[in-house]
Amino acid sequence: MVDVKKVAVVGAGLMGSGIAQVALMADYDVTLVDIKQEFVDSGEANIREGMQKLESKGKLGAGITADSIMSKLIKSIDLAEAVKNVDIVIEAVVEKMDIKKQVCKTVMDNGPDHIIFASNTSTMSITEIAKDSGAPERGCGMHFFNPVPLMRCVEVIRSDDTSDETFETAMEVAENLPCLRGDRYIAPVLKEGPGFIVNRMNAPVNIYIGWVYDTAKERGLDWAQIDADAGGKMPMGPCELADYVGLDTMMHTMNYYKETLSEDFEPPKVVKEMVDNGNLGAKTGKGFYDWNQGREGIKQKVKAAEPAGLFDLQTSMAIMLNEGCRILDEGIASGYKIIDDANMAGMNSPGPFGWGKSNFEKAAEILEDLVKKTGKEYFKPIELMKSGGFKKMRK
Ligand code: CAA
Ligand code: NAD
């Protein structure tokens, strides 16, 4: 195993600054890299803010201050130079294959012979990212969840080429990174597939939600009525959540799954129209909702709305159960407990297997019905799910 002391985090945005914060807290020597000084500085400011919160709560340990930790952070806008003496690079640049490939090659060309490259991609193939780098066996995935300091899960991903040494080192580094809300939970992803475990299992719920949006529009329903269907059982209803994540992000991700999993991931018409008009949700101030009224205003609107009776939470659970069974069937995870635990640690919401163990027959009926209603064959229950065979695959 590589003895990791020096870590470089590439990309100082939302995820990169969170990863660098927890790496600093684990006492690694950390270099933060981006393409412009202002981006590195802004990442540094985010980390400092987090450290200062911890200092004010007395959570940094005796004699340790935010300043003393921050003074150890090295900043760089020269990737080739920054990785010269580094043991592992965790990449959190934009979700674009050509850029990730380029970053990986620069790391392998300029780093020491043992350097490991771990990508934080949400969906994409690690095999493809590392394939032309000259050292694909030293590439792997380390997929964190947003916000990194608060979400416990890290998926550590084996590509087709990842060596045992690379995988074991990445597992160990992930385990060393602290989490502010309980122990880190590391989900080993034994074989890569689009979206790995947690994102993959949640992906087809968006096909259903897309059908809900388009049907709601045809019926002239108000978006708040759809969110009212969730009955306060989700932190955000499906329209508010899509606005929060970003409608462009939802569209790009669905297009990726359309290419890699099934045509049924075609993004909904409603979302395509909004994106074409530059309405991307919370970040542009407009999407399903007008965000200028603030989240509180949206919450009040949803509270006052008459539920539409169109979006059903149990249907979402049934879809996740079926996808979770596909993940087992494809050998991506070794057992359903890991899948449920990863969902809880990565999204703070329960996975489908706890419910599915005694409700799989009902879930199969819900899904057969959904295929008829939506015309989307991807929802068809797979054998492992409808037979309940998954119950033997706990670990
Ligand atoms: N450093 C130090 N302290 C921090 C901090 C940081 N970086 N960030 C937050 N904190 C502190 C806050 O100051 C706060 O402290 P107090 O309790 O003393 O006030 C505490 O941590 C909790 O922070 P919040 O008040 O912001 O937390 P919350 O209770 O409102 O919960 C949440 C926020 C955890 C995000 C919760 O809303 C949640 O679970 N949402 C779901 C998020 C989710 O689903 N994430 C996964 C998205 S999918 C993904 O990431 C994968 C992908 O590939 C796209
Ligand atoms: P972001 O836009 O906040 O940050 C990306 C950063 O990468 C930017 O600062 C950008 O300047 C920098 N960058 C771009 N090209 C670069 C290059 N060649 N070298 C160095 N830096 C470069 O994005 P983010 O939300 O932090 O996402 C980063 C990655 O993490 C993506 O792959 C994303 O899919 C993944 N991810 C995101 C989330 C999430 O919820 N946002 C969750 C898990 C994983």
Side-chain angles (χ1 to χ4, degrees), residues 5-298:
K5 295 212 162 48
K6 292 179 195 277
V7 178
V9 179
V10 189
L14 190 63
M15 296 303 286
S17 56
I19 297 166
Q21 177 180 348
V22 293
L24 280 167
M25 288 168 72
D27 213 19
Y28 288 116
D29 292 335
V30 181
T31 306
L32 185 61
V33 188
D34 208 300
I35 41 178
K36 284 192 182 167
Q37 193 59 42
E38 64 199 89
F39 299 152
V40 191
D41 291 344
S42 148
E44 180 191 33
N46 286 340
I47 304 171
R48 186 179 295 280
E49 196 184 319
M51 295 297 192
Q52 282 167 342
K53 276 184 198 160
L54 293 174
E55 183 184 318
S56 68
K57 292 178 194 167
K59 286 193 176 167
L60 284 183
I64 304 175
T65 63
D67 280 346
S68 68
I69 295 191
M70 292 311 289
S71 67
K72 289 186 358 198
L73 180 73
I74 303 166
K75 299 187 284 178
S76 171
I77 52 167
D78 182 346
L79 179 62
E81 187 60 34
V83 298
K84 283 225 154 87
N85 291 308
V86 159
D87 305 307
I88 188 168
V89 167
I90 305 175
E91 165 279 307
V93 306
V94 282
E95 188 78 343
K96 294 208 171 129
M97 180 56 84
D98 53 340
I99 299 185
K100 289 196 188 285
K101 284 183 79 118
Q102 185 54 53
V103 169
C104 182
K105 178 139 183 36
T106 306
V107 168
M108 295 308 192
D109 284 350
N110 295 280
D113 285 347
H114 67 269
I115 198 166
I116 288 174
F117 173 89
S119 174
N120 179 47
T121 174
S122 299
T123 48
M124 295 187 319
S125 162
I126 311 291
T127 308
E128 178 63 29
I129 293 173
K131 152 171 121 165
D132 303 318
S133 68
E137 71 285 359
R138 284 189 270 119
C140 66
M142 278 174 85
H143 180 225
F144 294 79
F145 292 76
N146 178 25
V148 177
L150 297 186
M151 305 305 280
R152 292 188 301 114
C153 190
V154 185
E155 297 175 334
V156 177
I157 302 137
R158 234 181 220 290
S159 76
D160 293 353
D161 303 311
T162 304
S163 69
D164 289 346
E165 184 182 50
T166 300
F167 190 70
E168 280 154 25
T169 307
M171 290 283 288
E172 191 182 70
V173 171
E175 269 156 23
N176 285 341
L177 300 175
C179 173
L180 301 176
R181 285 222 173 129
D183 292 338
R184 277 261 167 236
Y185 178 77
I186 314 300
V189 181
L190 306 178
K191 200 177 122 193
E192 70 175 20
F196 316 116
I197 296 178
V198 175
N199 285 352
R200 165 81 182 268
M201 188 164 67
N202 286 275
V205 176
N206 276 336
I207 306 179
Y208 168 54
I209 287 176
W211 173 82
V212 168
Y213 296 154
D214 286 345
T215 309
K217 187 164 181 199
E218 274 164 35
R219 295 189 191 167
L221 296 166
D222 195 85
W223 301 123
Q225 290 183 265
I226 301 300
D227 283 352
D229 278 346
K233 290 199 183 105
M234 293 164 76
M236 292 177 177
C239 300
E240 187 187 356
L241 186 64
D243 270 359
Y244 187 71
V245 168
L247 299 173
D248 53 338
T249 305
M250 180 180 184
M251 198 174 90
H252 292 144
T253 312
M254 287 191 78
N255 276 328
Y256 181 76
Y257 292 130
K258 186 180 164 192
E259 274 168 33
T260 51
L261 291 175
S262 157
E263 281 289 319
D264 284 346
F265 280 87
E266 176 70 33
K269 282 192 220 109
V270 164
V271 170
K272 280 197 253 179
E273 271 166 32
M274 285 195 272
V275 172
D276 283 348
N277 292 329
N279 295 324
L280 309 182
K283 61 186 162 192
T284 58
K286 196 158 185 276
F288 286 99
Y289 293 102
D290 176 1
W291 283 75
N292 298 315
Q293 64 187 300
R295 245 200 99 189
E296 207 38 52
I298 295 169

Side-chain angles (χ1 to χ4, degrees), residues 272-329:
K272 280 197 253 179
E273 271 166 32
M274 285 195 272
V275 172
D276 283 348
N277 292 329
N279 295 324
L280 309 182
K283 61 186 162 192
T284 58
K286 196 158 185 276
F288 286 99
Y289 293 102
D290 176 1
W291 283 75
N292 298 315
Q293 64 187 300
R295 245 200 99 189
E296 207 38 52
I298 295 169
K299 271 192 197 162
Q300 293 310 327
K301 229 179 145 188
V302 174
K303 226 176 178 177
E306 179 76 20
L310 193 58
F311 172 71
D312 169 46
L313 271 175
Q314 217 167 53
T315 302
S316 299
M317 245 347 178
I319 296 169
M320 284 168 74
L321 183 67
N322 202 33
E323 201 63 14
C325 286
R326 284 199 177 100
I327 291 170
L328 291 174
D329 225 14

